[in-house]
Amino acid sequence: MTEQRRARPLSPHLQVYDLPLAARISILHRITGTALSGGIILLVYWLWALASGPESYQQAQAILGSWLGLLILLGFSFALFLHLCHGIRHLIWDMSAGLDKSSAASSNIWIIILTLGLTALSWGLGFGLA
Amino acid sequence: MDYRTPLARARGLGASHDGTQHFIALRLTSWLLVPLTLWFVITLAYLAHSDYAQVMTWFKQPINAILFISFLLTMIWHASLGLQVIIEDYFHSELLKMLALMVLRATIALFAISGLYFIVRVTLTGSLFMTGAA
């Protein structure tokens, strides 16, 4: 009885199931989407500071330019590009393309490469290196 | 075998009563946001080097202000649709779900209106319309 029970397949309990990469990226899509929605507050704050005059704008730029501000912006840029790249995969999937296992495995890698590459490129552009 | 009543079949809306429009709007905003997001990132990288006067001058160009507003409103609409799905997935009490959706819509509307107002204010600062105030 116990032997038979042990042989039965387990349903994928989140605590014990080793999620495939595509599933991890899929969960990150939701998390980054939620985080980026919070970024609306930051964007509207920046617009408020700009509309309120030079002093408040300089204060906002100083906050965003501090190491903590830059770290938050780095996080937002990474989240933005991950959400963008995975979002584009969703749009391709909507057209019934790339849905098989091997295509999903290679698009996983492309998402990671493009996310890191675009994040680095945007910061290179921001610092005037590109 | 279809267990639905003839009326439910005629309405064709399923158990959640809507969804198709949400699905299409989410995809449409996704497609629009691909170029708009790339434009937005390049813009921020450019504006990061600019001082107050340069940013104000940048916003005075109609194409810049229009694209910024397009990005802002499309992105906020997209965020609203996405957050709605998350609320619908994780709130199991019908009452709490409805309350959360109302709070979401009101908050999203507040940020959309505020963002739009600030951009319009920036573009009109120093113009004929605001000579008295400025």
PDB file of all heavy atoms in Angstrom, chain A residues 108-127:
ATOM      1  N   ASN A 108      13.097  31.178 -24.017  1.00  0.00           N
ATOM      2  CA  ASN A 108      13.487  31.482 -22.626  1.00  0.00           C
ATOM      3  C   ASN A 108      14.845  32.158 -22.593  1.00  0.00           C
ATOM      4  O   ASN A 108      15.034  33.188 -21.944  1.00  0.00           O
ATOM      5  CB  ASN A 108      13.628  30.187 -21.805  1.00  0.00           C
ATOM      6  CG  ASN A 108      12.288  29.625 -21.378  1.00  0.00           C
ATOM      7  OD1 ASN A 108      11.297  30.342 -21.337  1.00  0.00           O
ATOM      8  ND2 ASN A 108      12.263  28.345 -21.059  1.00  0.00           N
ATOM      9  N   ILE A 109      15.799  31.530 -23.313  1.00  0.00           N
ATOM     10  CA  ILE A 109      17.179  32.036 -23.316  1.00  0.00           C
ATOM     11  C   ILE A 109      17.238  33.419 -23.966  1.00  0.00           C
ATOM     12  O   ILE A 109      17.908  34.323 -23.476  1.00  0.00           O
ATOM     13  CB  ILE A 109      18.119  31.041 -24.051  1.00  0.00           C
ATOM     14  CG1 ILE A 109      18.007  29.635 -23.418  1.00  0.00           C
ATOM     15  CG2 ILE A 109      19.561  31.523 -24.045  1.00  0.00           C
ATOM     16  CD1 ILE A 109      18.340  29.554 -21.938  1.00  0.00           C
ATOM     17  N   TRP A 110      16.466  33.571 -25.081  1.00  0.00           N
ATOM     18  CA  TRP A 110      16.430  34.864 -25.779  1.00  0.00           C
ATOM     19  C   TRP A 110      15.893  35.960 -24.874  1.00  0.00           C
ATOM     20  O   TRP A 110      16.393  37.094 -24.892  1.00  0.00           O
ATOM     21  CB  TRP A 110      15.593  34.769 -27.060  1.00  0.00           C
ATOM     22  CG  TRP A 110      16.412  34.291 -28.210  1.00  0.00           C
ATOM     23  CD1 TRP A 110      16.311  33.078 -28.838  1.00  0.00           C
ATOM     24  CD2 TRP A 110      17.477  34.991 -28.856  1.00  0.00           C
ATOM     25  NE1 TRP A 110      17.258  32.991 -29.827  1.00  0.00           N
ATOM     26  CE2 TRP A 110      17.977  34.146 -29.862  1.00  0.00           C
ATOM     27  CE3 TRP A 110      18.050  36.247 -28.671  1.00  0.00           C
ATOM     28  CZ2 TRP A 110      19.034  34.520 -30.691  1.00  0.00           C
ATOM     29  CZ3 TRP A 110      19.099  36.633 -29.493  1.00  0.00           C
ATOM     30  CH2 TRP A 110      19.584  35.773 -30.484  1.00  0.00           C
ATOM     31  N   ILE A 111      14.863  35.627 -24.089  1.00  0.00           N
ATOM     32  CA  ILE A 111      14.282  36.623 -23.180  1.00  0.00           C
ATOM     33  C   ILE A 111      15.335  37.095 -22.181  1.00  0.00           C
ATOM     34  O   ILE A 111      15.498  38.297 -21.947  1.00  0.00           O
ATOM     35  CB  ILE A 111      13.047  36.039 -22.456  1.00  0.00           C
ATOM     36  CG1 ILE A 111      11.857  35.964 -23.416  1.00  0.00           C
ATOM     37  CG2 ILE A 111      12.670  36.876 -21.234  1.00  0.00           C
ATOM     38  CD1 ILE A 111      10.695  35.151 -22.902  1.00  0.00           C
ATOM     39  N   ILE A 112      16.094  36.147 -21.619  1.00  0.00           N
ATOM     40  CA  ILE A 112      17.111  36.496 -20.617  1.00  0.00           C
ATOM     41  C   ILE A 112      18.221  37.339 -21.249  1.00  0.00           C
ATOM     42  O   ILE A 112      18.606  38.389 -20.728  1.00  0.00           O
ATOM     43  CB  ILE A 112      17.675  35.218 -19.956  1.00  0.00           C
ATOM     44  CG1 ILE A 112      16.570  34.542 -19.131  1.00  0.00           C
ATOM     45  CG2 ILE A 112      18.867  35.551 -19.058  1.00  0.00           C
ATOM     46  CD1 ILE A 112      16.875  33.114 -18.731  1.00  0.00           C
ATOM     47  N   ILE A 113      18.709  36.898 -22.435  1.00  0.00           N
ATOM     48  CA  ILE A 113      19.783  37.632 -23.118  1.00  0.00           C
ATOM     49  C   ILE A 113      19.325  39.046 -23.480  1.00  0.00           C
ATOM     50  O   ILE A 113      20.012  40.031 -23.201  1.00  0.00           O
ATOM     51  CB  ILE A 113      20.249  36.877 -24.393  1.00  0.00           C
ATOM     52  CG1 ILE A 113      20.973  35.587 -23.998  1.00  0.00           C
ATOM     53  CG2 ILE A 113      21.147  37.761 -25.257  1.00  0.00           C
ATOM     54  CD1 ILE A 113      21.275  34.670 -25.169  1.00  0.00           C
ATOM     55  N   LEU A 114      18.123  39.161 -24.090  1.00  0.00           N
ATOM     56  CA  LEU A 114      17.619  40.474 -24.522  1.00  0.00           C
ATOM     57  C   LEU A 114      17.335  41.392 -23.343  1.00  0.00           C
ATOM     58  O   LEU A 114      17.596  42.596 -23.412  1.00  0.00           O
ATOM     59  CB  LEU A 114      16.358  40.305 -25.379  1.00  0.00           C
ATOM     60  CG  LEU A 114      16.588  39.917 -26.837  1.00  0.00           C
ATOM     61  CD1 LEU A 114      15.259  39.590 -27.513  1.00  0.00           C
ATOM     62  CD2 LEU A 114      17.288  41.048 -27.598  1.00  0.00           C
ATOM     63  N   THR A 115      16.803  40.817 -22.240  1.00  0.00           N
ATOM     64  CA  THR A 115      16.526  41.636 -21.058  1.00  0.00           C
ATOM     65  C   THR A 115      17.808  42.237 -20.509  1.00  0.00           C
ATOM     66  O   THR A 115      17.891  43.455 -20.281  1.00  0.00           O
ATOM     67  CB  THR A 115      15.836  40.789 -19.971  1.00  0.00           C
ATOM     68  OG1 THR A 115      14.611  40.284 -20.489  1.00  0.00           O
ATOM     69  CG2 THR A 115      15.544  41.614 -18.727  1.00  0.00           C
ATOM     70  N   LEU A 116      18.821  41.392 -20.327  1.00  0.00           N
ATOM     71  CA  LEU A 116      20.102  41.878 -19.799  1.00  0.00           C
ATOM     72  C   LEU A 116      20.757  42.845 -20.786  1.00  0.00           C
ATOM     73  O   LEU A 116      21.271  43.893 -20.396  1.00  0.00           O
ATOM     74  CB  LEU A 116      21.039  40.700 -19.496  1.00  0.00           C
ATOM     75  CG  LEU A 116      20.567  39.775 -18.352  1.00  0.00           C
ATOM     76  CD1 LEU A 116      21.500  38.579 -18.229  1.00  0.00           C
ATOM     77  CD2 LEU A 116      20.475  40.525 -17.030  1.00  0.00           C
ATOM     78  N   GLY A 117      20.710  42.506 -22.089  1.00  0.00           N
ATOM     79  CA  GLY A 117      21.329  43.343 -23.122  1.00  0.00           C
ATOM     80  C   GLY A 117      20.676  44.713 -23.219  1.00  0.00           C
ATOM     81  O   GLY A 117      21.358  45.736 -23.248  1.00  0.00           O
ATOM     82  N   LEU A 118      19.329  44.741 -23.232  1.00  0.00           N
ATOM     83  CA  LEU A 118      18.616  46.021 -23.353  1.00  0.00           C
ATOM     84  C   LEU A 118      18.777  46.863 -22.095  1.00  0.00           C
ATOM     85  O   LEU A 118      18.871  48.090 -22.174  1.00  0.00           O
ATOM     86  CB  LEU A 118      17.124  45.771 -23.648  1.00  0.00           C
ATOM     87  CG  LEU A 118      16.785  45.306 -25.063  1.00  0.00           C
ATOM     88  CD1 LEU A 118      15.340  44.833 -25.150  1.00  0.00           C
ATOM     89  CD2 LEU A 118      17.017  46.427 -26.071  1.00  0.00           C
ATOM     90  N   THR A 119      18.821  46.198 -20.920  1.00  0.00           N
ATOM     91  CA  THR A 119      19.054  46.942 -19.677  1.00  0.00           C
ATOM     92  C   THR A 119      20.430  47.609 -19.740  1.00  0.00           C
ATOM     93  O   THR A 119      20.554  48.811 -19.466  1.00  0.00           O
ATOM     94  CB  THR A 119      18.973  46.004 -18.450  1.00  0.00           C
ATOM     95  OG1 THR A 119      17.716  45.314 -18.493  1.00  0.00           O
ATOM     96  CG2 THR A 119      19.062  46.782 -17.145  1.00  0.00           C
ATOM     97  N   ALA A 120      21.453  46.837 -20.128  1.00  0.00           N
ATOM     98  CA  ALA A 120      22.816  47.384 -20.222  1.00  0.00           C
ATOM     99  C   ALA A 120      22.869  48.492 -21.275  1.00  0.00           C
ATOM    100  O   ALA A 120      23.464  49.557 -21.044  1.00  0.00           O
ATOM    101  CB  ALA A 120      23.805  46.273 -20.561  1.00  0.00           C
ATOM    102  N   LEU A 121      22.226  48.273 -22.420  1.00  0.00           N
ATOM    103  CA  LEU A 121      22.236  49.258 -23.512  1.00  0.00           C
ATOM    104  C   LEU A 121      21.585  50.572 -23.090  1.00  0.00           C
ATOM    105  O   LEU A 121      22.118  51.657 -23.353  1.00  0.00           O
ATOM    106  CB  LEU A 121      21.509  48.681 -24.732  1.00  0.00           C
ATOM    107  CG  LEU A 121      21.569  49.497 -26.024  1.00  0.00           C
ATOM    108  CD1 LEU A 121      22.972  49.464 -26.616  1.00  0.00           C
ATOM    109  CD2 LEU A 121      20.559  48.970 -27.041  1.00  0.00           C
ATOM    110  N   SER A 122      20.446  50.481 -22.388  1.00  0.00           N
ATOM    111  CA  SER A 122      19.743  51.694 -21.978  1.00  0.00           C
ATOM    112  C   SER A 122      20.568  52.491 -20.968  1.00  0.00           C
ATOM    113  O   SER A 122      20.584  53.722 -21.015  1.00  0.00           O
ATOM    114  CB  SER A 122      18.370  51.357 -21.408  1.00  0.00           C
ATOM    115  OG  SER A 122      18.493  50.631 -20.212  1.00  0.00           O
ATOM    116  N   TRP A 123      21.287  51.778 -20.082  1.00  0.00           N
ATOM    117  CA  TRP A 123      22.116  52.491 -19.104  1.00  0.00           C
ATOM    118  C   TRP A 123      23.368  53.049 -19.770  1.00  0.00           C
ATOM    119  O   TRP A 123      23.853  54.117 -19.383  1.00  0.00           O
ATOM    120  CB  TRP A 123      22.444  51.605 -17.906  1.00  0.00           C
ATOM    121  CG  TRP A 123      21.252  51.540 -17.006  1.00  0.00           C
ATOM    122  CD1 TRP A 123      20.151  50.739 -17.174  1.00  0.00           C
ATOM    123  CD2 TRP A 123      20.965  52.369 -15.871  1.00  0.00           C
ATOM    124  NE1 TRP A 123      19.216  51.015 -16.213  1.00  0.00           N
ATOM    125  CE2 TRP A 123      19.695  51.995 -15.391  1.00  0.00           C
ATOM    126  CE3 TRP A 123      21.661  53.378 -15.213  1.00  0.00           C
ATOM    127  CZ2 TRP A 123      19.103  52.612 -14.282  1.00  0.00           C
ATOM    128  CZ3 TRP A 123      21.063  53.979 -14.101  1.00  0.00           C
ATOM    129  CH2 TRP A 123      19.812  53.597 -13.647  1.00  0.00           C
ATOM    130  N   GLY A 124      23.879  52.359 -20.785  1.00  0.00           N
ATOM    131  CA  GLY A 124      24.981  52.887 -21.574  1.00  0.00           C
ATOM    132  C   GLY A 124      24.564  54.174 -22.268  1.00  0.00           C
ATOM    133  O   GLY A 124      25.289  55.175 -22.273  1.00  0.00           O
ATOM    134  N   LEU A 125      23.341  54.162 -22.803  1.00  0.00           N
ATOM    135  CA  LEU A 125      22.770  55.336 -23.470  1.00  0.00           C
ATOM    136  C   LEU A 125      22.564  56.459 -22.458  1.00  0.00           C
ATOM    137  O   LEU A 125      22.872  57.619 -22.730  1.00  0.00           O
ATOM    138  CB  LEU A 125      21.423  54.934 -24.093  1.00  0.00           C
ATOM    139  CG  LEU A 125      20.951  55.660 -25.335  1.00  0.00           C
ATOM    140  CD1 LEU A 125      21.875  55.369 -26.504  1.00  0.00           C
ATOM    141  CD2 LEU A 125      19.527  55.236 -25.672  1.00  0.00           C
ATOM    142  N   GLY A 126      22.067  56.101 -21.266  1.00  0.00           N
ATOM    143  CA  GLY A 126      21.808  57.082 -20.215  1.00  0.00           C
ATOM    144  C   GLY A 126      23.074  57.765 -19.739  1.00  0.00           C
ATOM    145  O   GLY A 126      23.085  58.962 -19.465  1.00  0.00           O
ATOM    146  N   PHE A 127      24.157  57.024 -19.661  1.00  0.00           N
ATOM    147  CA  PHE A 127      25.417  57.598 -19.202  1.00  0.00           C
ATOM    148  C   PHE A 127      26.254  58.146 -20.354  1.00  0.00           C
ATOM    149  O   PHE A 127      27.403  58.546 -20.163  1.00  0.00           O
ATOM    150  CB  PHE A 127      26.226  56.568 -18.394  1.00  0.00           C
ATOM    151  CG  PHE A 127      25.716  56.380 -17.002  1.00  0.00           C
ATOM    152  CD1 PHE A 127      25.147  55.186 -16.610  1.00  0.00           C
ATOM    153  CD2 PHE A 127      25.801  57.419 -16.075  1.00  0.00           C
ATOM    154  CE1 PHE A 127      24.654  55.022 -15.303  1.00  0.00           C
ATOM    155  CE2 PHE A 127      25.316  57.262 -14.786  1.00  0.00           C
ATOM    156  CZ  PHE A 127      24.742  56.064 -14.401  1.00  0.00           C
TER     157      PHE A 127
END
